[in-house]
Amino acid sequence: MTLPILSRRTLIGGAAALSAMPAAAQTGPGDEIVELWPGPPPGDTGARIVRKVADQSRGAATPDRWVTGIARPVLVVRRPARPNGAAVLLCPGGGYGFLSYDNEGTSQAAWLNARGVTAFILLYRLPNEGWASRALVPLQDAQRAMRVIRARAAGFGIAANRVAVLGFSAGGHLAGSLATRHALATYAPVDAADRLSARPDLAGLVYPVVSFSAPFTHAGSRDMLLGPEQTPAQRRDWSIETRVDAATPPILLVHASDDGLVPPDNSIALYQAVRAAGRPAALHIFEDGGHGFGVRLPATRSASAWPSLFATFAAGQGTFPA
């Protein structure tokens, strides 16, 4: 089944809902939008979901848009001028309440494209916007995204066995969930793509939310994903460090010591779990950088070094070219 490509204007065109826009061809150089689901996404309840984009840039030279109201999850494809066959699925953060589209999406795609890597920005559904089985909704989209990327690898000019996931903050929790729960059946198959593996070949988690049960949890992300009726068992089950096993892909973790929102204990806990399982892992905790730094830190801030470290790790694991 061929998945539709939508116009880019449906993504950031104010409050218009994606579902109201017609299918269209590619609208910008190296930029296209691919819908994840051929019909209504799983868990659809008929709730009215309206796209909203909040401009957080406040006059800054770089855009910083927060997206909510995601009725139709999509992949925003950013292709490099000279592709090297590697690809990265990008999961922006936002506490599972919004998506930091530019800081943790388009800005990330730019540096990946500069290195020849094809980037796929995932606009995943938010759990509090009227979906059934709210905790499964972002993971359903992430699993489906990985399968769609692999199903169309030849058309994207990438290798199906060189697809990483890179997530930030709550998007780091989603990327970690995909890395550790890729085989979990979260939805009924809809086409041939769902016969493919959702396991990323490598995962990068940047200032990630990891544990929902430890004292250092980010309660906002936890509550937004699990809802008000959560149980201790659910909190443990959705803690990434409890799900690591022999099939977990190589994981690189990035955090700043001065992160006052999501403590670096999150990355430390996952690193210890990955190491205990005998899986490849790297952990970088920088002196300064705070939270939500993306790739916009000045070179004087130590956490600004993380993209090169991620690229080196990915090359060492065979996902990026050496």
Side-chain angles (χ1 to χ4, degrees):
M1 179 179 293
T2 301
L3 295 169
I5 298 176
L6 302 184
S7 166
R8 185 172 184 265
R9 67 180 177 271
T10 65
L11 171 65
I12 54 177
L18 271 172
S19 57
M21 302 302 295
Q26 182 173 319
T27 59
D31 189 17
E32 67 218 53
I33 295 179
V34 178
E35 283 208 66
L36 291 184
W37 306 96
D44 181 35
T45 64
R48 183 172 181 267
I49 301 173
V50 178
R51 173 62 49 86
K52 295 180 181 178
V53 180
D55 184 1
Q56 304 294 317
S57 57
R58 298 179 178 87
T62 52
D64 187 14
R65 291 160 291 181
W66 290 1
V67 181
T68 57
I70 300 167
R72 300 298 295 269
V74 298
L75 289 169
V76 183
V77 188
R78 293 292 177 92
R79 303 181 188 240
R82 296 179 178 83
N84 59 30
V88 171
L89 174 65
L90 292 166
C91 300
Y96 284 124
F98 65 90
L99 299 185
S100 180
Y101 176 66
D102 289 306
N103 184 42
E104 294 163 356
T106 61
S107 293
Q108 308 303 325
W111 76 262
L112 289 164
N113 285 173
R115 288 164 171 80
V117 179
T118 303
F120 298 85
I121 306 170
L122 175 60
L123 285 186
Y124 55 90
R125 290 171 293 152
L126 300 170
N128 68 327
E129 293 190 332
W131 305 98
S133 302
R134 63 184 292 162
L136 290 177
V137 163
L139 183 57
Q140 289 169 340
D141 291 345
Q143 288 180 335
R144 177 69 179 170
M146 188 62 66
R147 290 167 176 147
V148 168
I149 291 169
R150 288 201 165 109
R152 297 182 53 173
F156 292 132
I158 63 172
N161 62 348
R162 293 171 57 198
V163 185
V165 65
L166 181 59
F168 304 81
S169 195
H173 184 271
L174 178 55
S177 295
L178 181 63
T180 56
R181 309 185 81 172
H182 49 84
L184 181 68
T186 64
Y187 62 90
V190 296
D191 57 27
D194 288 323
R195 293 198 291 266
L196 301 176
S197 173
R199 178 186 182 273
D201 296 294
L202 179 141
L205 279 58
V206 184
Y207 40 85
V209 176
V210 169
S211 182
F212 281 171
S213 57
F216 49 78
T217 187
H218 182 250
S221 296
R222 179 198 65 202
D223 295 348
M224 194 65 72
L225 184 68
L226 301 184
E229 306 300 325
Q230 61 191 260
T231 66
Q234 285 178 306
R235 292 178 181 180
R236 176 172 173 78
D237 190 45
W238 285 96
S239 296
I240 302 169
E241 76 276 15
T242 69
R243 307 290 302 195
V244 176
D245 60 20
T248 299
I251 291 181
L252 175 134
L253 295 143
V254 172
H255 235 108
S257 292
D258 62 349
D259 190 331
L261 187 63
V262 179
D265 305 73
N266 283 270
S267 286
I268 294 170
L270 182 54
Y271 176 76
Q272 291 174 332
V274 175
R275 290 289 295 162
R279 303 300 298 146
L283 171 64
H284 299 282
I285 299 181
F286 297 96
E287 177 188 3
D288 58 351
H291 187 81
F293 47 77
V295 289
R296 298 178 176 180
L297 286 174
T300 54
R301 305 287 292 279
S302 59
S304 65
W306 79 263
S308 294
L309 295 170
F310 175 79
T312 298
F313 183 76
Q317 298 298 325
T319 303
F320 287 9

